[in-house]
Amino acid sequence: MLNFDEQRFLRIQAGAVALRQRLETVIAGCLDAGAENIFFLGTGGAAILMQPAAQLLQRRSRFPAFIDMPAELVITGSAHLTHRSIVVMPSLSGTTKESVALLEKLKAIGATVLTLVGNEDTPLGQGGDHVFVNAAADDTSSESFYLQSLFIALAILHHRGEIANHDDIVAGLDRMPELLLEVKRAYEPKAEAFAKVLAGSDYHIITGAGNVWPEAFYYGMCILEEMQWIRTRPVHASDFFHGTLELVEKDVSVILFKGEDELRPLAERVASFVPQYTDRLTVLDTAAFALPGLSAEVRALVSPVVLATVLERISAHLEVMRNHPLTTRRYYKRVAY
């Protein structure tokens, strides 16, 4: 595979999986101690990666789950954010400015803070009540964060008796590192063709629904815009028909992500409409990938993880094709803002 270290990938994703039991123990302790809600408070891309877990809780649990922006909460606070709140703060660098600023406020409130970081020797790595370290990097962090946040959501559902088959689900998730590697290997021959689609336009509408919508948002904003300077319009498949559809015309590129949860029909609606007006619809569908041994339920849960791992292969080809390394920035962490 192009510019890819298989053993490094396996080590990092196995590191995420290895955090599961401790995450479950910490969450159980928080709930037993009287926790009343959970906040997922990341910044930027790390925040987006928390959305599938937050959504899972909002739709499957009576335990209140919130997702908000640290930059806003530092200013406004929240009536729901109290000493009985669990706060999950992901930050690969452990130094994210907005999250570090909120950390001080959370300490004053008395909330229980779980930090998910790539480096322990950082403000967030040192500042959490419970620190979870997995030394990932930009090209491997998406799968790691998706898995860790999913373990947290499942731990809450399990502890509250709101999920019947927890053990079977996590047994499947424990196999994800090897399964994801096989997905990468299988997709590698196709990755260059998808990269050519992305390189072939300076503007893409990018859409999805359900738990893969955050990956559409993330890939458009954090990879294509930040790392490749390609303009995108990320829009939820449900909102696509309330404005963005008017931008679809000949030669407009539409990128559609399809997952396997119950909201897949929203993506199918886009897939039916777009080809009538442009021949530049490109679909990435998790149902096309073999995940032997995983139930339909687990496949649905891990759809965003699978997309992330495939998109990394596409990005590897895209940066070479465009002679634009994914690490190149003009402003991000380079100038004052």
Side-chain angles (χ1 to χ4, degrees):
M1 286 186 276
L2 178 66
N3 295 335
F4 185 72
D5 183 334
E6 293 188 4
Q7 291 308 309
R8 171 177 170 270
F9 176 79
L10 283 175
R11 183 175 67 253
I12 291 169
Q13 304 315 324
V17 168
L19 295 173
R20 176 176 63 82
Q21 291 186 340
R22 183 168 160 246
L23 284 165
E24 291 174 346
T25 299
V26 169
I27 290 297
C30 290
L31 295 176
D32 289 340
E36 295 179 346
N37 57 43
I38 185 167
F39 277 77
F40 292 89
L41 299 179
T43 297
I48 296 171
L49 299 173
M50 298 293 106
Q51 289 183 17
Q55 183 187 80
L56 178 64
L57 286 171
Q58 289 165 350
R59 293 178 175 168
R60 298 271 302 264
S61 178
R62 301 283 293 180
F63 190 72
F66 301 91
I67 191 162
D68 212 324
M69 295 184 176
E72 293 195 353
L73 287 181
V74 166
I75 298 170
T76 65
S78 168
H80 299 284
L81 185 55
T82 73
H83 68 286
R84 293 192 179 276
S85 296
I86 304 168
V87 174
V88 179
M89 298 190 79
S91 171
L92 183 60
S93 69
T95 62
T96 309
K97 181 179 178 180
E98 297 89 341
S99 298
V100 172
L102 182 61
L103 184 61
E104 295 306 312
K105 190 165 188 173
L106 294 173
K107 288 181 177 180
I109 291 170
T112 300
V113 180
L114 284 63
T115 57
L116 315 179
V117 298
N119 184 350
E120 187 172 11
D121 190 22
T122 59
L124 291 176
Q126 297 293 322
D129 296 300
H130 304 278
V131 178
F132 296 85
V133 182
N134 191 33
D138 283 341
D139 60 333
T140 52
S141 63
S142 292
E143 298 97 328
S144 175
F145 278 142
Y146 274 138
L147 288 170
Q148 290 177 66
S149 60
L150 183 54
F151 291 142
I152 291 169
L154 290 170
I156 291 173
L157 290 168
H158 180 52
H159 195 78
R160 290 172 52 84
E162 294 173 322
I163 189 168
N165 54 341
H166 170 268
D167 291 349
D168 291 339
I169 291 173
V170 296
L173 295 177
D174 284 348
R175 297 177 52 230
M176 286 306 295
E178 293 78 12
L179 291 174
L180 291 173
L181 179 58
E182 289 305 316
V183 167
K184 285 181 182 289
R185 287 173 175 161
Y187 190 75
E188 181 70 14
K190 302 177 183 178
E192 184 177 6
F194 200 112
K196 286 180 179 178
V197 172
L198 297 177
S201 177
D202 62 0
Y203 170 71
H204 302 276
I205 296 170
I206 183 166
T207 187
N211 65 1
V212 302
W213 153 242
E215 183 60 23
F217 183 18
Y218 176 89
Y219 195 73
M221 184 177 80
C222 297
I223 309 301
L224 295 185
E225 292 183 347
E226 178 188 321
M227 299 184 183
Q228 287 293 293
W229 308 346
I230 294 174
R231 293 173 177 85
T232 70
R233 168 64 167 104
V235 59
H236 193 286
S238 178
D239 288 334
F240 182 92
F241 294 98
H242 296 275
T244 307
L245 81 168
E246 290 295 334
L247 298 178
V248 178
E249 58 183 342
K250 187 176 183 294
D251 293 329
V252 170
S253 171
V254 179
I255 308 296
L256 173 63
F257 293 166
K258 293 169 69 174
E260 299 174 59
D261 64 12
E262 64 271 25
L263 296 170
R264 184 180 174 93
L266 297 179
E268 299 284 10
R269 187 182 178 200
V270 174
S272 297
F273 172 83
V274 169
Q276 300 176 63
Y277 304 100
T278 180
D279 60 357
R280 300 189 66 182
L281 171 66
T282 309
V283 179
L284 193 56
D285 185 352
T286 64
F289 301 107
L291 297 169
L294 294 193
S295 66
E297 181 178 13
V298 176
R299 287 187 64 104
L301 286 173
V302 301
S303 289
V305 192
V306 173
L307 280 178
T309 216
V310 169
L311 286 162
E312 181 277 326
R313 287 290 76 217
I314 293 168
S315 298
H317 286 269
L318 183 62
E319 68 172 345
V320 172
M321 190 177 298
R322 300 184 74 240
N323 192 27
H324 186 127
L326 295 169
T327 53
T328 300
R329 305 287 188 278
R330 285 183 291 209
Y331 313 117
Y332 183 67
K333 294 186 178 180
R334 292 185 180 275
V335 302
Y337 52 83

